[in-house]
Amino acid sequence: MLQCIFLLSDSGEVMLEKQLTGHRVDRSICAWFWDQIISQGDSLKLVPVIASPTHYLFQVVREGITFLACTQVEMPPLMAIEFLSRVADVLSDYLGSLNEDLIKDNFVIVYELLDEMIDNGFPLTTEPNILREMIAPPNIVSKVLSVVTGNVSNVSNTLPGATASCVPWRKTDLKHTSNEVYVDLVEEMDAIINRDGTLVKCEIYGEVQVNSHLSGLPDLTLSFANPSILNDARFHPCVRLRPWEANQILSFVPPDGEFKLMSYRVKKLKSTPIYVKPQLSSDSGTCRISVLVGIRNDPGKSIDSITVQFQLPPCILSADLSANHGTVNILADKTCSWSIGRIPKDKAPSMAGTMTLETGLERLNVFPTFQVSFRIMGVALSGLQIDKLDLKNLPSRPYKGFRALTRAGEFEVRS
Amino acid sequence: MAVGKCARDPSVYVRKCAANALSKLHDLRLEEHTASIEEIVGILLNDNSPGVVGAAAASFASVCPNNLSLIGRNYRKLCEILPDVEEWGQIVLVGILLRYVVAKHGLVEGSIMLYSCSLVKYNSEREDLKPRLAMTENPDDVGGEICSEIADVVSRSYLEGPEKYLSRLSCMDKNTSMDISHSTSSKSNDDVKILLQCTSPLLWSHNSAVVLAAAGVHWIMAPKEDVKKIVKPLLFLLRSSNASKYVVLCNIQVFAKAMPSLFVPHFENFFVNSSDSYQVKALKLEILSSIATYSSISAIFLEFQDYIRDQDRRFAADTVAAIGLCSQRLPDVAKTCLEGLLALALSESSNKNGASADEEAVLVQAINSIKTIIKQDPPSHEKVIVSLVRSLDSIWAPAARAMIIWMVGEYNNIGGVISKILPTLFSYLAGRFTLEAAETKLQILNACAKVLLRAKGEDISILKKIAGYLLELAKCDISYDVRDRARIMSNLLSHLIGSPYLEEVQDKPEIKDLSYVLIESIFGGQTKLPSSEPLSYRFYLPGSLSQIVLHAAPGYEPLPEPCSLIYDESCNFSTDVQGIKSPGVGVAHNEPNENDDSEAVSGSLDEENTSDYSSQESMIGSSESGGSYISRSASDVNDNAGPLIHLSDADLIHGNGAEVSEENDPSGSNGADELMSKGALESWLDENSGLNQNSSDISHVRKSLARISIKDIGGLVKPKSYTLLDPANGNGLHVDYIFSSEVSSVSPQLVCLHISFRNCSKEPMSDILLFEGESDRSPDSSDQSVSESSPVSRSEVPTLVPMEEIENLEPGQTMKRILQVRFQHHLLPLKLVLVSNGRKHLVKLRPDIGYFVKPLPMDIEEFSNKESRLPGMFEYTRRCTFTDHISELNDKNESSLVKDNFLLICEKLALKMLSNANLFLVSVEMPVAANLDDLSGLCLRFSGEILSNSMPCLITLTLKGTCSEPLDVSVKINCEETVFGLNLLNRIVNFLAEPTP
C-alpha cells in the first residue's frame, strides 16, 4: 500500500508531504527523484512508475505539479496512479485550478482532503460529493470566518449520511428549490490522417456528463436512440449494469451536482468535419511549406476555434510563415500555432512560408505532425442521440436539458 | 478487542472503520493478537454491506493474505457483492478471489494457462503413439492462434514466480508439463463460473485499476474463447491518462505476446500519436510488431513509414527495428521489408552531413534489421549485400560499417557475385583501414579470416597478401583490442598466409591441424539458423507492480499452488458455530443421562491408575486403534440404527461401567477405557437404540463421532514452574513458584502457590519470609499486620496469606511452602518483598490466568447446555498452531512401540492444557469417518470456574490438519466475564502455540 504522498512544484520543491503509514519515508527520495528528472530530461517525466533504489515511485503530473506516491511493497500500480489522478481532480475541483500558489494558500484544506481520501495507504473516500459534505470547499466567507474566529478547521462535525446508506455517492436528504437535470454529450474526435491524406483512424471518444440538482432520491432512466453504435462503454458506479446488459438502458440514482455518467467510444467513422492539407517540399537548404484548411463535411453547425499546431523539426534554423486568415505564432520551443477561428465563407484559409534548414542539410528528412483542434457546438459527431430521460421518485416535475458538443481530441495530420 | 466490538456494530460506517483499523493493528506487530485480528477480518468479510466488505478485503490483503480458508467460508457471497463494493475494494477483492479460486480448484481447462500444457501433452502422446487420454479439445483447431511457448512461460511464471522458473529452466527439461489433474472446467465448476460472471461487469468500471484487475481474472481463469471479452475494455483504457496508458500497455504487451490473436483485429488502436511519450510509443511498436498478420501488415507498414519520418529519431530507430521483427514473424513480407530498409539505409547514408547520434541510430538499426532478415534466407538476398557493399563508401557510422563487413565475411560464398568482388573490396578496406574505428577494424580482420578460409582459385594469393598487410597494420594499431586480435589471427592463420615468423609451428603437423580446426570452428561456423533464443522475458501477474518494473517487488506473490486448498467444506462448517450440522451440539443432545457419574468415577479411577499407565502404553495404543476400527465397522453393520447412530464416548464409559468389577485389575480397567470390546459395544447399542426411540425427535443425521477418554492424564500434568528469585540476585537463595490446582480454603479470591526455597549458597540462611511489598510499614510489623488480617473479612480479602517463616535453610536444602495470594489484576504482577538473612529483595510474582479458575467437573451434556447459554458476545475464538506432537511422533517412529497417533496428540494437547491451566477435561471427541491420518474435527472440551466469582468458563479446542503436520487449533471460550475470558483465551493460545522445551 502507499506509504507516502508528496506534491512537488515544477521547480522540484516539496510543497507537501503526507506520511501514510508508520514507516516514514524520507524526503530525500524527492531529491533523488528530481535529480533523475534533471539528468534524464523530460523523458522520465512521463514514466509513471519508477523503481528507485529504496522505493517504487508513482507519478502523475498535472499542470506543472507532480503528485508523487511511494511504496515499498507490491501493489497494483494502476491503483496508485488512478488514486493520484483522483486526488488531482479533487484538488483542482476544490481550488478552482491547480497551481503552486493555490496549494500553498490552502494547505489546511489539502491536508484535510488527503486525510479523508486515504487511510493507512488505502484509498478511503474519493467520491467528490461526499468529500464536499465532509470538508467545506474554501471560499471568502470561510476564510474571513477562520481569521476572525481563529477556528481553522473546516471539517464538518457530522458524518455525512451517505456513508451509511446504500447509495454512497448521494446525500440522503437533498432539497433543491428548482429541480433540474442537464445531460451533456461531450465528444472528442480522434483521428489520424497519414501523409497521403487518407484517414487511417477516426473515432469518437465521448462522455455523458450529467449535472443534476434534484431533490430526494430520484431514479433516472436514460435511453439512447441508437445505442448499437457504441463500441465500448464505461460507467459511473451509480449505473446499474444489469439493465444495460439487457436493453442498453442507463438506469441510475444520480449523485448531486456534476458527474461523468458514462464514457463511450464509437469507432471507424468515415469522415472528419474539416480537412487540413499540409505540403512540404525542400530543396537546397530551404523548405517551402503550405497548409490548407477547409470544411469537408458540413456538420450543420459552425465550427469554432480551429487551430493548427505543429512542432518545427529541430533541423530548421528559421521560419517565415504567414497566413491569409488568422494569426501565426512561433513559440520559443519551436512550436508553431496557427489559430484560425471560424472558417470564412468566401475563402479557404491557408498558411504558407519558407524555412531555412541547418547548414549542410540538403533536404528535410523529418516531418512535423500537425495537431488540429476545433469545436462544434450542438452536434454529437458520432451520431449518438439521446432518446429520452425518465425521472421517477420525484416530488415535482423537473426541468430537463440536453446539450451536445464535439471537439477535436487527438486529431493529427502527418506530413 | 474494541475493534472486535466495533466489528459487530450496527452502523455500517463503524464497521467499515473497524475494518480499516485492523491493518493498522496488524502493523503494530502484536504477535499474540494476530489470530484474533484474523478472526475479525473473517467476521467483517461476512458482512452484508458492500462498503464494509471492501475495507475488510483491504485489511485481509495486508493482514493475512494467505489465509484463504477465511474466503472459502463466504466465497459466494463475496462474489455476489463484488460489483457493489467501492472501487478500491474491488481491486483488492478481485485479486483475493482469484487466488482463492486457483488454490481451491486449480486452473481452468481450456484457459490460456493450461492451453500450452495440453498441447505438450498432445504432442507427447503423438510421439508415444499410444493415446492415453482423449483430450477435451484438439489443439490443432486453434493452432497458430496462440504462441504456445510464451503462453507456457507466462502461465508457469504466474504460478511459480519468474526467478524460480527461469532458474529451473536451465536445469530441467522444458517438456515436463504441468500436472493437468489440477485443472477444472469452468463449465462444470460453479465457483469459477460465478467469479467470471461477477467480474465481467467490472470491465465497465470507470476506474482503470478495476478494469485491469478484472481483466487479469479473465485472462487467467476464462476459457480462451471468452478471453476476447477483456480486449475492448483494455483498449478503452488507452484513452485515459498518459500515466495509466503506460501501465495498461505494459500488460497488453504480455497478453499480446502470449495470445496475439486477441489483439489482431484491433491493431489500429496501437497506432502512435505524436503526443504519446517515448515509452508509450516504444511499447505500441512492440505490440504492433507482435500482432501483425498478413492481412494487417500492409496497413502497419504504411504507419511505420510515417513513423520513420518522425522527429524523435530514437523512435524512428525503434520503428526500423520493429520492421525487422515483423519480417521475422512473417517471412513472406521479408522482401518488401528489405527493399524498404535498403532504400532507407541508402537515403539515410546520403544525409551524412547532418551527423548526430540519433541519426546514426536509425541507420545502424536499419542495417541491423537487414542483417536479421538476411539471416533467415541468405542465398536469396545476395544482391542486397552487394548493394550495401557498394554503398559502403557513403555509410559512415562505424557500427553500420562493421555490420556490413560482418555480412560479407559471413556470406562470402553463398553466391557468385560476392566472391567476385571480394578482392576489390578488401583492397579498398585495407586502404582505408587506418581510418576506421576500432569496432570496424576488428570486423575487417574477422571477415578477412573467414574469406581466406573459403577462398578459391586465383583470388587466394591476392587475398593472402591483403590479409598479411592487414595483420601487419593491425599489429601497430593504437587499440589494444585490435593488436591482440591481430596477433591471434596471425598465429592461427599462419599456415594459410605463409607467414615467415612461425615456421616452427608449421613443422609440427598436429599443431597445424589443431590450429586449422580451431580456425574452422571459430570462423568457419557457417551460417547456422538462429537457434531459438531462450525466452528471457519475465512475466508477473497482470496488473501487478512487478510486471511494470520487471522484477519481483517485495511482497509480490505468484498465484498459489493450484488446488493447494483441499480440505473440504465440512471442517469450515464445524468451526461455524451456527452450522446446523455442528457435531458437538448433535452429540450433546443424545447424551445418556446415566453417564454423568460414571465419567466422574472413571476420572477418579484413572488418577489412581496413572502409575501403571506408562507400562501399558503399547497395549492401550493397540487396543484403541482396534476399538476405533470396530466402531467404524459397527456403524457400517448396524443398518437399523443407520445414520442415527453416532458413536460417542457414552459407549466407552458404558463399557467401563460394565467392567467395573474388574477394577482390581488395573490393566483391565485401563484398557477398557480405551477398548471398545465388542460385548460392550453391543450392549451399548441396545441401550442406545432405546435411547434413540426416546429422543428420535432430536436426533438428526449427523456425523458419527467417537469419543476417546484420556483419564490417565492427571499424573502426567506438570505445572510450569516460574522463578521468583534467582540465586544471583538473592545471595544464593533460589525461589521457584508453581501455581497449584488446590483451591484456597480461606477465600475464593485467593490463588494457591507452591513456593520452593532452595539454598544454593554455602552458608545457611535464616528467617526467610515473603510478604507484600507495597506497604509502608517495616517488615516486622507488616508481617504481623498481614497475619492479623488473614481471617477473612467481608470487606477485604488480604493480598497475601502469609506462609510460615522458614527459620533456617541449610546449604543445598529445599523447603516448600504454600502461599495464598490475591492478585489485584489477572495480568499485572504483584510486588512482594522477600526477606532472607535480614536482607530485602523486591520480587515480582507474575499471575497466571490459567490458575484463576478451578476445575468445574461436568459432563458433556451440561457442558453443551452451558455453552448454548453463552452465545454471541460471550464467545471468543482464536486460532493457533500446535506443533508439540511432531517431535513426539518422530521419536515414536524410531521406537518400536506402536502407539496410536490420535491418542498421542489428544494426550499431548490435554496435557498441555492441564499443565498450564487449572481446568477439568470434559471430553475428547473425534470423527469416526475421518481417515486415519486426518485429525480434522477432533474436539477437546474443558471446563473451569472463575475463582473470584464462580462463573463457569467453557473451553473448546477444535483441531484441523493431519497428524504429521502442525495442527491448526481453534480455541473457543464461552464465558460471561468478557475481559477475563479474552485474557484467558490469549493465554491458552500463547501456551498452545509455544513449543514445549
Side-chain angles (χ1 to χ4, degrees):
Chain A
M1 293 296 116
L2 293 178
Q3 289 177 325
C4 188
I5 292 176
F6 295 106
L7 263 65
L8 306 182
S9 71
D10 48 7
S11 58
E13 178 198 356
V14 183
M15 292 191 288
L16 190 139
E17 171 182 348
K18 169 104 181 116
Q19 302 284 346
L20 302 170
T21 56
H23 312 282
R24 253 187 69 85
V25 180
D26 197 71
R27 228 173 227 236
S28 59
I29 193 78
C30 292
W32 181 89
F33 170 75
W34 205 254
D35 284 348
Q36 291 293 107
I37 294 245
I38 289 168
S39 65
Q40 310 224 345
D42 279 350
S43 67
L44 193 76
K45 231 173 178 165
L46 297 158
V47 185
V49 184
I50 306 165
S52 87
T54 51
H55 290 79
Y56 298 100
L57 305 177
F58 304 99
Q59 63 159 339
V60 168
V61 184
R62 283 283 175 91
E63 308 187 27
I65 292 168
T66 310
F67 294 78
L68 196 68
C70 317
T71 185
Q72 277 178 313
V73 293
E74 168 70 43
M75 66 172 291
L78 269 186
M79 184 160 132
I81 290 164
E82 187 82 10
F83 175 73
L84 287 180
S85 29
R86 222 45 92 74
V87 171
D89 287 345
V90 168
L91 284 187
S92 61
D93 184 33
Y94 262 74
L95 309 177
S97 73
L98 266 182
N99 63 49
E100 208 178 322
D101 293 338
L102 268 175
I103 289 183
K104 285 184 173 169
D105 288 349
N106 295 291
F107 263 137
V108 180
I109 293 249
V110 176
Y111 269 114
E112 281 167 356
L113 280 173
L114 281 178
D115 265 336
E116 289 302 330
M117 290 180 79
I118 191 162
D119 175 42
N120 202 25
F122 192 77
L124 199 62
T125 318
T126 48
E127 201 58 51
N129 286 302
I130 305 290
L131 283 172
R132 250 170 210 288
E133 220 175 316
M134 285 199 267
I135 299 160
N139 53 39
I140 301 282
V141 180
S142 73
K143 263 187 191 162
V144 172
L145 258 181
S146 70
V147 169
V148 172
T149 59
N151 177 16
V152 282
S153 168
N154 31 11
V155 179
S156 75
N157 291 321
T158 53
L159 208 59
T163 47
S165 78
C166 56
V167 271
W169 52 84
R170 191 177 171 85
K171 300 181 205 180
T172 36
D173 48 345
L174 268 175
K175 286 210 170 56
H176 288 286
T177 42
S178 62
N179 272 324
E180 337 170 273
V181 55
Y182 300 97
V183 180
D184 294 355
L185 288 182
V186 179
E187 302 198 330
E188 288 185 5
M189 176 174 258
D190 298 346
I192 296 176
I193 297 164
N194 73 2
R195 68 188 154 126
D196 307 333
T198 48
L199 199 59
V200 176
K201 179 174 115 173
C202 183
E203 56 188 42
I204 292 274
Y205 168 79
E207 289 176 0
V208 180
Q209 290 174 349
V210 178
N211 194 354
S212 91
H213 300 283
L214 299 169
S215 319
L217 205 66
D219 200 329
L220 276 66
T221 317
L222 181 70
S223 59
F224 296 109
N226 45 355
S228 56
I229 63 165
L230 297 180
N231 206 290
D232 313 303
R234 279 195 281 168
F235 304 102
H236 190 270
C238 70
V239 176
R240 299 187 190 100
L241 296 170
R242 296 266 147 70
W244 174 259
E245 267 178 289
N247 312 316
Q248 311 232 297
I249 289 171
L250 290 168
S251 156
F252 58 98
V253 176
D256 197 43
E258 252 187 74
F259 66 100
K260 193 168 88 183
L261 180 68
M262 73 178 275
S263 51
Y264 57 88
R265 191 154 73 152
V266 180
K267 291 217 271 192
K268 303 223 158 84
L269 268 78
K270 291 285 176 295
S271 68
T272 56
I274 59 171
Y275 66 84
V276 174
K277 283 183 182 160
Q279 271 186 332
L280 284 99
S281 58
S282 55
D283 193 23
S284 60
T286 55
C287 171
R288 290 200 53 78
I289 180 170
S290 79
V291 185
L292 285 173
V293 177
I295 294 176
R296 181 191 307 249
N297 262 2
D298 200 346
K301 297 267 163 69
S302 66
I303 306 175
D304 282 350
S305 42
I306 302 174
T307 39
V308 178
Q309 231 184 24
F310 63 99
Q311 186 86 33
L312 293 175
C315 54
I316 281 174
L317 285 182
S318 65
D320 176 28
L321 303 170
S322 63
N324 65 351
H325 185 83
T327 52
V328 181
N329 281 316
I330 299 177
L331 304 174
D333 59 346
K334 284 195 170 174
T335 308
C336 175
S337 101
W338 173 29
S339 49
I340 300 167
R342 259 178 222 200
I343 292 177
K345 285 211 174 72
D346 47 344
K347 58 181 176 182
S350 72
M351 179 182 74
T354 52
M355 301 184 285
T356 355
L357 301 179
E358 258 174 22
T359 45
L361 206 63
E362 289 290 303
R363 283 181 284 120
L364 199 63
N365 60 343
V366 291
F367 295 87
T369 303
F370 297 81
Q371 279 126 11
V372 183
S373 68
F374 56 84
R375 201 174 57 165
I376 312 168
M377 301 292 288
V379 173
L381 275 184
S382 65
L384 186 72
Q385 279 168 346
I386 292 173
D387 189 29
K388 60 180 181 207
L389 177 67
D390 289 334
L391 296 94
K392 276 181 227 150
N393 210 356
L394 268 181
S396 58
R397 274 194 68 77
Y399 174 74
K400 295 187 270 189
F402 300 98
R403 271 191 310 186
L405 165 71
T406 303
R407 55 179 177 233
E410 291 162 347
F411 193 107
E412 296 187 349
V413 182
R414 296 184 185 138
S415 58
Chain B
M1 195 189 314
V3 172
K5 234 172 224 170
C6 289
R8 295 185 182 85
D9 198 275
S11 160
V12 175
Y13 195 70
V14 173
R15 277 179 290 172
K16 186 177 163 186
C17 290
N20 284 322
L22 281 176
S23 55
K24 290 180 190 168
L25 270 183
H26 179 72
D27 282 350
L28 293 176
R29 309 229 173 277
L30 299 172
E31 297 302 338
E32 74 241 53
H33 291 140
T34 36
S36 59
I37 290 177
E38 287 183 23
E39 284 303 315
I40 299 172
V41 171
I43 293 167
L44 288 168
L45 277 177
N46 202 12
D47 204 282
N48 281 320
S49 155
V52 181
V53 172
S59 53
F60 176 88
S62 64
V63 172
C64 48
N66 293 318
N67 189 355
L68 290 173
S69 58
L70 273 185
I71 301 295
R73 261 185 257 168
N74 26 41
Y75 171 76
R76 220 151 258 269
K77 201 165 145 201
L78 285 176
C79 278
E80 273 153 22
I81 217 168
L82 182 62
D84 299 325
V85 173
E86 56 167 17
E87 46 196 349
W88 310 109
Q90 281 173 349
I91 304 168
V92 185
L93 195 54
V94 164
I96 296 171
L97 291 176
L98 172 64
R99 276 164 196 277
Y100 169 75
V101 170
V102 171
K104 181 87 193 293
H105 302 292
L107 302 169
V108 178
E109 216 167 280
S111 72
I112 180 91
M113 298 281 288
L114 279 181
Y115 172 75
S116 51
C117 91
S118 65
L119 189 74
V120 169
K121 200 158 184 179
Y122 180 82
N123 287 340
S124 66
E125 275 167 25
R126 255 199 318 215
E127 283 162 22
D128 295 350
L129 287 173
K130 40 180 173 183
R132 271 169 286 172
L133 264 165
M135 293 304 295
T136 46
E137 60 196 325
N138 187 355
D140 287 341
D141 292 347
V142 273
E145 255 185 52
I146 299 172
C147 182
S148 63
E149 195 183 358
I150 296 180
D152 185 41
V153 178
V154 169
S155 63
R156 279 156 192 258
S157 309
Y158 286 166
L159 285 174
E160 300 174 20
E163 277 78 15
K164 202 170 138 204
Y165 171 65
L166 286 177
S167 64
R168 213 192 51 181
L169 246 188
S170 52
C171 58
M172 262 176 73
D173 185 15
K174 234 177 168 179
N175 277 346
T176 52
S177 78
M178 272 185 286
D179 191 0
I180 202 161
S181 64
H182 282 328
S183 68
T184 174
S185 146
S186 65
K187 281 162 195 116
S188 62
N189 192 308
D190 286 349
D191 277 359
V192 177
K193 208 155 79 184
I194 201 169
L195 177 65
L196 291 177
Q197 243 168 34
C198 292
T199 46
S200 50
L202 299 189
L203 292 171
W204 288 331
S205 167
H206 76 161
N207 187 326
S208 51
V210 176
V211 177
L212 189 57
V217 170
H218 281 256
W219 173 247
I220 293 172
M221 297 310 290
K224 61 183 175 304
E225 307 86 60
D226 296 349
V227 178
K228 282 193 212 86
K229 224 186 218 175
I230 68 173
V231 174
K232 278 187 178 180
L234 276 180
L235 293 177
F236 201 11
L237 290 186
L238 295 180
R239 191 57 174 72
S240 47
S241 71
N242 239 328
S244 47
K245 197 190 266 181
Y246 172 75
V247 177
V248 174
L249 277 172
C250 280
N251 286 291
I252 290 182
Q253 187 196 4
V254 177
F255 296 160
K257 276 211 175 104
M259 201 165 162
S261 58
L262 276 184
F263 295 95
V264 162
H266 304 279
F267 64 93
E268 280 181 354
N269 284 288
F270 302 107
F271 285 175
V272 170
N273 276 323
S274 58
S275 54
D276 291 340
S277 70
Y278 169 68
Q279 284 84 2
V280 170
K281 283 178 181 170
L283 275 172
K284 280 185 170 176
L285 270 182
E286 202 166 326
I287 295 169
L288 271 180
S289 55
S290 63
I291 62 169
T293 57
Y294 287 119
S295 53
S296 59
I297 191 75
S298 57
I300 291 177
F301 272 152
L302 271 178
E303 278 288 303
F304 281 174
Q305 279 173 25
D306 282 356
Y307 300 160
I308 291 170
R309 298 150 65 103
D310 196 271
Q311 295 185 17
D312 186 350
R313 297 319 285 170
R314 260 192 311 166
F315 170 55
D318 287 350
T319 310
V320 175
I323 295 176
L325 275 178
C326 281
S327 60
Q328 239 176 325
R329 280 193 65 239
L330 311 166
D332 287 12
V333 295
K335 199 155 181 154
T336 358
C337 289
L338 208 54
E339 279 163 16
L341 286 171
L342 199 61
L344 174 73
L346 296 180
S347 73
E348 283 288 334
S349 60
S350 68
N351 241 336
K352 66 176 169 185
N353 288 334
S356 72
D358 289 343
E359 293 291 332
E360 209 177 293
V362 179
L363 178 61
V364 172
Q365 204 51 256
I367 305 279
N368 198 6
S369 295
I370 292 175
K371 194 180 90 181
T372 46
I373 297 170
I374 291 179
K375 234 185 209 169
Q376 293 173 332
D377 184 18
S380 57
H381 299 308
E382 194 192 358
K383 274 186 190 159
V384 180
I385 302 178
V386 173
S387 59
L388 276 178
V389 169
R390 284 218 179 98
S391 62
L392 201 56
D393 209 10
S394 58
I395 294 174
W396 36 267
R401 286 179 75 94
M403 255 183 290
I404 296 172
I405 294 165
W406 179 87
M407 279 191 269
V408 173
E410 193 69 26
Y411 307 117
N412 62 51
N413 59 352
I414 47 165
V417 191
I418 294 183
S419 51
K420 272 181 201 140
I421 62 164
L422 279 176
T424 352
L425 170 67
F426 273 93
S427 48
Y428 160 75
L429 286 176
R432 280 183 53 98
F433 189 75
T434 44
L435 303 172
E436 301 284 359
E439 195 181 355
T440 323
K441 283 175 183 168
L442 292 176
Q443 241 7 283
I444 292 176
L445 289 177
N446 284 355
C448 186
K450 286 177 195 165
V451 169
L452 262 186
L453 273 178
R454 301 213 178 75
K456 292 183 282 283
E458 72 278 14
D459 290 343
I460 242 176
S461 56
I462 311 167
L463 283 172
K464 268 185 186 169
K465 265 186 213 158
I466 296 171
Y469 173 65
L470 277 174
L471 286 173
E472 286 305 304
L473 269 180
K475 276 180 192 165
C476 316
D477 202 85
I478 42 165
S479 157
Y480 300 108
D481 284 344
V482 178
R483 288 204 298 266
D484 287 351
R485 184 74 60 94
R487 297 227 171 77
I488 296 171
M489 293 282 187
S490 60
N491 276 325
L492 289 174
L493 297 176
S494 52
H495 65 282
L496 284 175
I497 307 168
S499 161
Y501 308 115
L502 296 153
E503 277 154 9
E504 64 270 38
V505 177
Q506 282 178 330
D507 295 340
K508 297 170 186 166
E510 67 269 32
I511 293 179
K512 186 179 152 190
D513 282 350
L514 187 72
S515 64
Y516 189 81
V517 170
L518 208 59
I519 307 167
E520 270 296 336
S521 62
I522 294 173
F523 300 112
Q526 201 27 296
T527 59
K528 279 175 265 168
L529 275 178
S531 59
S532 61
E533 289 165 32
L535 287 158
S536 55
Y537 301 113
R538 300 182 158 203
F539 297 105
Y540 296 88
L541 287 179
S544 67
L545 175 58
S546 309
Q547 176 61 46
I548 308 299
V549 295
L550 285 181
H551 62 85
Y556 174 80
E557 283 188 16
L559 284 179
E561 194 73 12
C563 299
S564 53
L565 199 69
I566 37 173
Y567 44 81
D568 59 359
E569 296 288 304
S570 61
C571 29
N572 290 335
F573 280 127
S574 67
T575 55
D576 193 350
V577 192
Q578 282 152 357
I580 314 154
K581 283 206 238 170
S582 172
V585 178
V587 168
H589 280 302
N590 226 1
E591 196 62 34
N593 283 328
E594 61 262 41
N595 285 326
D596 298 13
D597 37 7
S598 72
E599 177 151 12
V601 167
S602 63
S604 61
L605 210 160
D606 287 324
E607 272 166 28
E608 292 162 23
N609 288 335
T610 42
S611 55
D612 302 340
Y613 180 76
S614 54
S615 64
Q616 274 158 29
E617 268 181 349
S618 63
M619 189 226 158
I620 291 163
S622 58
S623 63
E624 204 286 325
S625 57
S628 63
Y629 170 69
I630 291 164
S631 68
R632 238 168 271 143
S633 64
S635 66
D636 290 337
V637 170
N638 281 281
D639 288 335
N640 59 336
L644 294 179
I645 279 189
H646 62 107
L647 306 173
S648 67
D649 76 337
D651 50 358
L652 296 171
I653 287 152
H654 187 82
N656 193 16
E659 288 171 73
V660 143
S661 56
E662 290 174 5
E663 202 181 335
N664 291 337
D665 179 6
S667 72
S669 77
N670 220 345
D673 275 345
E674 311 300 333
L675 173 72
M676 206 187 311
S677 74
K678 212 156 190 180
L681 177 71
E682 272 161 13
S683 70
W684 173 76
L685 281 174
D686 293 340
E687 188 190 326
N688 195 46
S689 57
L691 259 170
N692 279 339
Q693 283 160 10
N694 295 339
S695 57
S696 56
D697 49 337
I698 48 165
S699 51
H700 310 289
V701 183
R702 52 179 83 85
K703 271 171 115 178
S704 52
L705 290 167
R707 257 183 225 162
I708 311 163
S709 44
I710 312 171
K711 309 288 163 33
D712 14 38
I713 214 151
L716 292 176
V717 170
K718 282 199 193 79
K720 203 174 169 186
S721 107
Y722 303 85
T723 309
L724 191 61
L725 186 69
D726 64 283
N729 294 331
N731 291 338
L733 181 66
H734 185 82
V735 186
D736 277 343
Y737 62 98
I738 294 170
F739 287 92
S740 88
S741 49
E742 286 165 43
V743 179
S744 165
S745 52
V746 184
S747 154
Q749 304 206 4
L750 294 172
V751 178
C752 282
L753 292 149
H754 288 286
I755 304 190
S756 68
F757 298 86
R758 183 183 159 82
N759 190 347
C760 300
S761 70
K762 286 172 184 158
E763 282 150 41
M765 293 180 177
S766 60
D767 302 332
I768 300 170
L769 186 62
L770 253 180
F771 56 87
E772 195 183 351
E774 269 155 12
S775 59
D776 299 325
R777 286 163 280 189
S778 69
D780 298 325
S781 63
S782 91
D783 179 20
Q784 278 175 350
S785 72
V786 170
S787 54
E788 273 163 19
S789 63
S790 61
V792 190
S793 58
R794 268 195 72 193
S795 60
E796 209 179 304
V797 180
T799 313
L800 191 80
V801 175
M803 56 166 201
E804 302 158 46
E805 190 175 314
I806 299 173
E807 299 286 339
N808 201 2
L809 195 64
E810 293 299 321
Q813 192 189 356
T814 308
M815 284 189 91
K816 289 198 176 169
R817 287 289 183 271
I818 291 172
L819 192 69
Q820 296 185 24
V821 187
R822 181 175 66 93
F823 288 100
Q824 321 282 26
H825 189 274
H826 44 244
L827 289 180
L828 299 179
L830 190 69
K831 286 181 185 147
L832 297 177
V833 177
L834 182 82
V835 182
S836 73
N837 283 344
R839 278 190 209 186
K840 280 205 276 181
H841 305 285
L842 281 173
V843 289
K844 281 183 180 174
L845 191 62
R846 297 191 182 278
D848 187 339
I849 196 169
Y851 290 90
F852 285 56
V853 287
K854 66 177 181 198
L856 180 66
M858 61 168 78
D859 63 25
I860 180 79
E861 194 181 2
E862 201 183 334
F863 184 93
S864 40
N865 265 341
K866 282 212 160 77
E867 189 181 34
S868 60
R869 262 183 269 133
L870 292 169
M873 62 175 295
F874 300 125
E875 180 176 298
Y876 334 97
T877 324
R878 274 187 66 181
R879 284 160 190 286
C880 62
T881 348
F882 184 69
T883 51
D884 269 13
H885 59 284
I886 293 177
S887 59
E888 190 92 358
L889 283 177
N890 291 341
D891 292 348
K892 196 205 74 179
N893 287 342
E894 287 158 23
S895 69
S896 55
L897 285 175
V898 183
K899 193 177 173 192
D900 191 76
N901 290 343
F902 271 68
L903 196 61
L904 190 133
I905 290 163
C906 292
E907 253 172 48
K908 271 268 155 198
L909 258 178
L911 198 64
K912 194 146 194 186
M913 286 295 285
L914 294 180
S915 313
N916 283 288
N918 198 6
L919 293 169
F920 176 77
L921 175 61
V922 178
S923 75
V924 182
E925 280 180 359
M926 65 159 205
V928 165
N931 69 43
L932 267 176
D933 222 25
D934 190 12
L935 275 173
S936 299
L938 189 73
C939 177
L940 286 92
R941 296 193 176 84
F942 300 88
S943 67
E945 189 180 58
I946 301 174
L947 283 176
S948 52
N949 51 13
S950 306
M951 284 188 189
C953 191
L954 311 174
I955 300 163
T956 315
L957 305 186
T958 316
L959 272 72
K960 202 187 278 178
T962 54
C963 287
S964 48
E965 276 157 29
L967 290 167
D968 190 13
V969 185
S970 123
V971 185
K972 192 183 77 180
I973 288 195
N974 294 65
C975 176
E976 219 167 311
E977 191 160 336
T978 352
V979 182
F980 185 87
L982 276 170
N983 284 326
L984 183 59
L985 178 64
N986 286 339
R987 172 76 191 133
I988 290 174
V989 167
N990 280 347
F991 70 65
L992 278 183
E994 82 183 26
T996 326

